[in-house]
Amino acid sequence: MGTEKGFWMNKAITDGLNFMPPAFIDGLTDWSSEDGTPGSATYDGAANASLVASDPDFGPCLELQKTQTLQKLRYMGDTPLLPGCYFQVTIKFKVLSGLFPSFRVAAWAGGPGGAHVTGLDETGPELLPDTYGRIYEVSAIIGTGDRTGVDLVWGTEPVFGHVGLDMTGDNGAIVRIESVIIEDKTDIFHRKLMGWVDVRDYGAIGDGITDDRLAFLAADADAQGREVVVSEGTYYIATSLTINSPVRFEGQLLMPTSERLLITSNYDYKTYEAAFGDEREALTRALSALFNFTDHDSLDLGGRRIQLDSPIDVHAAVGNKDNFGQRRVIRNGQLEATSSAAWDTVSVSSNAGWSSGSPTILTSVTNVVNIAVGSLVTGTGVGREVYVASKDNGALTITLSQPLVNPAGSQSYTFDRFQYLLDFSGFNGLSRLQLSNMEFACLGKCSGVLLPYTGFEWHIHTCWFLKPMDRGITSYNRGCYGIAIYNNEFYTNEYDALAQDRTTIAFNSNFNDIKLRDNQAVRFKHFGVIAGGGHIITGNHFWQGDGAPSGDRTAGIVFTSRNPSSVVTGNYVDNCFIDISNEHADYTNVGPGTVPFGALSLTGNIFIASDVAAWFTFIRLSPYGTGHHIDGISVVGNTFKEITGSPIDRVESVVTSNGDFDHSLTQNIVFQGNSYEDVNQRTENPAYVDMTQATAATTWSYSHALKVPFGGQVRGVEGWSAIGPIQDGSNISQFEAPNFTLAQGGSGDVVDISWPAARKGRLQMKLRSDSAA
């Protein structure tokens, strides 16, 4: 009781005092150029001091020229300091010219009888300005107690002070000073002994009916850094509320779904869960705040498991934005799907028209109103991972994410709308979002993440996608532009299914410049279906085998652009293959001068297969339409291996079920420096070959079929040399040069070596399966 009584006595005293010194314009007799003690020199009549009647920033003010290394300005009046009291000194100034000095609040500590109390800190933090005409401010709090925020701790011996300003450093500057403001701050420090304020002390009712918003605002304004406590009760907040102080919820909030709670201090999922009491609502409210400028760029889920019985529509949760481009992060938590019919795929079958003149448009779509944007489209002539990008119910049209491959002019299509833990599809544009250290526990009930309509530079990293029912990450239009997917684990929901029976896909992309690195995917139908170009794929391990002997395998990576301009480097391609197709392009666009199959580098990868048929291959070209050509494929420094002792025939092939190549147009294939184990035919280009003609003949024929890539032709001979003598039928050495006829045989993979007469012997040749550009 004694301490409390002393506090209120001190408050009564300071509340009755006027700390403010007189304005400079009233005269400079009260302003000392020394310590401020009686008899010290003043600025009244000083040559380096003048009064300015009307400064554009300050109004009446003091102008000083700095002439001393330590130049002082002190108020000569006594500013009282009683035990338990605190006051703040604030000074605004600007430098007009000259060398910049440093500025600080300074004071002279006076004890009983006017004696100087020595040994105390009498100067506040220094500030060195760097811009002429800019308004700066220095301040310091002087008080008796050693508390956080007190700059000059004087204890109980001083009873007053002469306060003001120090300028230190270089001389010559012209400075204008607005005023010296002295304010009582005792209330702040003594009330902080409690450390919190309760919203009920500011009029909150907590009956779930009365709008308590104004009480929350009042408590937050008065907290001044202390914690706002929301004590037990149910508090109705009618409109959006921002709380800037730390807040602790013992009671809970009721708010309309259209309104937002913005917590700018302790913004995290735990606080929102305490505020609303429901995991799903807490997450949606926290997401809404994340995209509405809470002074935080990230939402930390605190390592919590959040169970969801339906998708989180992030666009609907945010509520007031269709586009957002500032960096935001969702991190450090687990989203787990619980059993619910809300996860069921919505399937619609509809008839629609199609024309090659508008290959991404379906017209006259029946039942279009029931087809959801983001639905997977399947049907005759539809490539892999084609989605509904947008629709027009009135015009009965659907815009697709990719062109179709020559379907009928009118036919039936199936539209499957998968359900996702986090669904961003409602955003027209959402960029620079990062999902970090998350687990998407789909558990065979739903899919993981659906990207927005458009967006760029997303990062999804160090996440687990556990047993997605259909998809891990889906791009249904252009939300994947420049996306970086790295250090993630994709674990299948179809582990025990045969490879050819699986339907799940880890991710897809519809646009350019994805970065895919250091991920692992286990037993999906495909690791990735990738459209567009400019992709960097490195350091991933995708494993798609099964337990069946001589089993079928599916593509690990599918490039749906025949010219992807991409690199695939340092990956572990495990019991699957890389497929390059043109299923998302005009299949009739073929021949010289058109876009070739190429612009792809496969370097330093590990290709492993086990228990596969002999016809299995690791690299496949799958053309739609005939007459395509190859230009710019590099396969260098890779390891190809079958590990169960059942050799495969070769490592590359062309899937000819929908089209083929004109190999006479092939250019720029490099296939060398690779290692092979249990591979019967070692593909190579350029290839060093050795042939022996045992009986004399005018024409020697060499079949290059074992080494020529992708079923191509012999298109060039870079060099040749005779190994030993070239002889006639009588074993007499001949010294002649042959000529070479290329692209012979039914497939063009034979080269004929012609001599002036019948000859025999041994040749080594360097053959090419491509032509010079």
Side-chain angles (χ1 to χ4, degrees), residues 596-614:
F597 273 69
L600 180 65
S601 173
L602 307 177
T603 307
N605 301 285
I606 301 170
F607 291 87
I608 295 291
S610 59
D611 289 321
V612 295

Side-chain angles (χ1 to χ4, degrees), residues 220-562:
D220 184 39
D222 201 38
Q224 301 183 47
R226 289 168 293 163
E227 185 178 54
V228 173
V229 174
V230 181
S231 53
E232 291 186 8
T234 301
Y235 300 84
Y236 176 64
I237 306 296
T239 56
S240 295
L241 172 66
T242 299
I243 301 177
N244 294 310
S245 305
V247 59
R248 171 164 47 96
F249 288 93
E250 298 170 357
Q252 294 178 355
L253 303 186
L254 287 178
M255 295 182 71
T257 56
S258 59
E259 305 302 320
R260 289 172 293 282
L261 173 66
L262 306 181
I263 298 172
T264 65
S265 180
N266 51 326
Y267 170 74
D268 54 31
Y269 171 77
K270 178 181 178 181
T271 302
Y272 280 83
E273 185 185 27
F276 293 97
D278 176 81
E279 290 185 350
R280 178 186 178 83
E281 184 171 6
L283 180 57
T284 58
R285 298 285 187 174
L287 288 170
S288 176
L290 180 64
F291 292 93
N292 278 280
F293 307 106
T294 60
D295 290 340
H296 293 262
D297 69 353
S298 58
L299 170 59
D300 190 339
L301 301 183
R304 298 290 298 275
R305 180 184 70 168
I306 303 170
Q307 293 185 311
L308 301 173
D309 60 3
S310 61
I312 295 291
D313 183 338
V314 182
H315 176 258
V318 174
N320 63 343
K321 289 178 173 61
D322 294 324
N323 296 278
F324 194 86
Q326 296 196 30
R327 176 179 175 270
R328 289 292 183 266
V329 182
I330 306 171
R331 62 159 58 98
N332 189 27
Q334 179 192 61
L335 304 183
E336 179 183 297
T338 60
S339 297
S340 168
W343 299 118
D344 293 347
T345 297
V346 177
S347 296
V348 177
S349 293
S350 294
N351 200 74
W354 180 85
S355 169
S356 60
S358 300
T360 61
I361 305 296
L362 297 181
T363 59
S364 302
V365 183
T366 60
N367 201 21
V368 66
V369 70
N370 291 321
I371 298 172
V373 169
S375 296
L376 177 70
V377 186
T378 54
T380 303
V382 182
R384 285 166 283 195
E385 295 302 276
V386 175
Y387 288 87
V388 175
S390 63
K391 65 173 184 171
D392 187 327
N393 290 337
L396 303 180
T397 60
I398 283 176
T399 300
L400 304 172
S401 62
Q402 297 292 340
L404 302 187
V405 187
N406 199 33
S410 179
Q411 68 175 44
S412 179
Y413 298 88
T414 299
F415 303 88
D416 291 318
R417 182 53 157 86
F418 307 136
Q419 310 302 322
Y420 297 80
L421 285 165
L422 289 182
D423 185 337
F424 296 90
S425 63
F427 286 98
N428 182 65
L430 178 60
S431 299
R432 301 175 65 204
L433 183 69
Q434 181 175 330
L435 303 177
S436 171
N437 288 279
M438 297 281 293
E439 181 174 335
F440 296 91
C442 305
L443 304 182
K445 299 176 176 66
C446 64
S447 297
V449 176
L450 180 59
L451 300 179
Y453 180 74
T454 62
F456 63 89
E457 299 299 338
W458 275 52
H459 282 220
I460 301 178
H461 72 91
T462 323
C463 295
W464 278 78
F465 291 85
L466 183 61
K467 296 186 175 182
M469 186 170 85
D470 298 292
R471 300 293 185 267
I473 302 168
T474 295
S475 169
Y476 77 96
N477 188 50
R478 298 291 187 269
C480 55
Y481 183 22
I483 192 172
I485 302 174
Y486 54 100
N487 292 338
N488 300 292
E489 296 280 342
F490 297 87
Y491 190 82
T492 186
N493 187 48
E494 301 177 297
Y495 190 90
D496 295 326
L498 296 177
Q500 64 269 25
D501 294 335
R502 296 174 192 149
T503 62
T504 56
I505 297 174
F507 79 96
N508 81 291
S509 74
N510 275 305
F511 208 47
N512 301 333
D513 302 347
I514 72 166
K515 288 81 177 173
L516 184 70
R517 63 180 186 269
D518 299 331
N519 301 284
Q520 179 167 275
V522 177
R523 290 196 172 185
F524 286 82
K525 178 180 182 179
H526 304 302
F527 173 40
V529 177
I530 303 173
H535 310 307
I536 300 173
I537 301 171
T538 180
N540 304 283
H541 181 188
F542 35 105
W543 170 41
Q544 294 176 199
D546 58 29
S550 298
D552 200 355
R553 296 291 181 263
T554 57
I557 290 177
V558 179
F559 289 104
T560 66
S561 169
R562 57 188 165 182

Side-chain angles (χ1 to χ4, degrees), residues 650 652 663 669 671 683-685 707-713 769:
R650 57 190 308 120
E652 92 309 326
H663 291 290
I669 294 181
F671 216 115
T683 307
E684 197 175 346
N685 189 63
K707 290 186 178 293
V708 66
F710 304 113
Q713 303 175 349
S769 303

Side-chain angles (χ1 to χ4, degrees), residues 7-27:
F7 161 65
W8 288 113
M9 288 177 63
N10 291 334
K11 277 300 296 171
I13 294 171
T14 58
D15 283 348
L17 293 176
N18 181 12
F19 287 99
M20 283 296 295
F24 295 125
I25 200 68
D26 293 334

Side-chain angles (χ1 to χ4, degrees), residues 35 58 78 87 114 151 176 192 200 206 218 289 369 415 446 453-454 473 493 500 510 536 629 647 676 702 754 759:
D35 289 327
F58 296 153
D78 293 348
F87 60 86
D151 302 287
R176 286 185 178 176
K192 279 187 176 178
R200 287 188 177 270
V369 70
F415 303 88
C446 64
Y453 180 74
T454 62
I473 302 168
N493 187 48
Q500 64 269 25
N510 275 305
I536 300 173
H629 66 293
Y676 300 86
Y702 176 77
S754 298
R759 300 289 182 257

Side-chain angles (χ1 to χ4, degrees), residues 80-163:
L81 181 66
L82 302 177
C85 293
Y86 302 82
F87 60 86
Q88 183 178 49
V89 182
T90 304
I91 303 170
K92 291 184 178 179
F93 64 92
K94 60 184 177 181
V95 180
L96 300 183
S97 63
L99 298 173
F100 289 105
S102 294
F103 295 77
R104 65 194 182 196
V105 169
W108 184 89
H116 185 210
V117 180
T118 60
L120 300 177
D121 190 356
E122 294 180 308
T123 58
E126 286 196 350
L127 184 148
L128 177 62
D130 59 4
T131 303
Y132 294 115
R134 177 180 170 183
I135 298 171
Y136 292 92
E137 179 181 288
V138 289
S139 66
I141 292 179
I142 304 172
T144 58
D146 187 5
R147 301 187 184 279
T148 300
V150 178
D151 302 287
L152 308 183
V153 180
W154 281 3
T156 58
E157 187 176 355
V159 295
F160 71 95
H162 295 302
V163 301

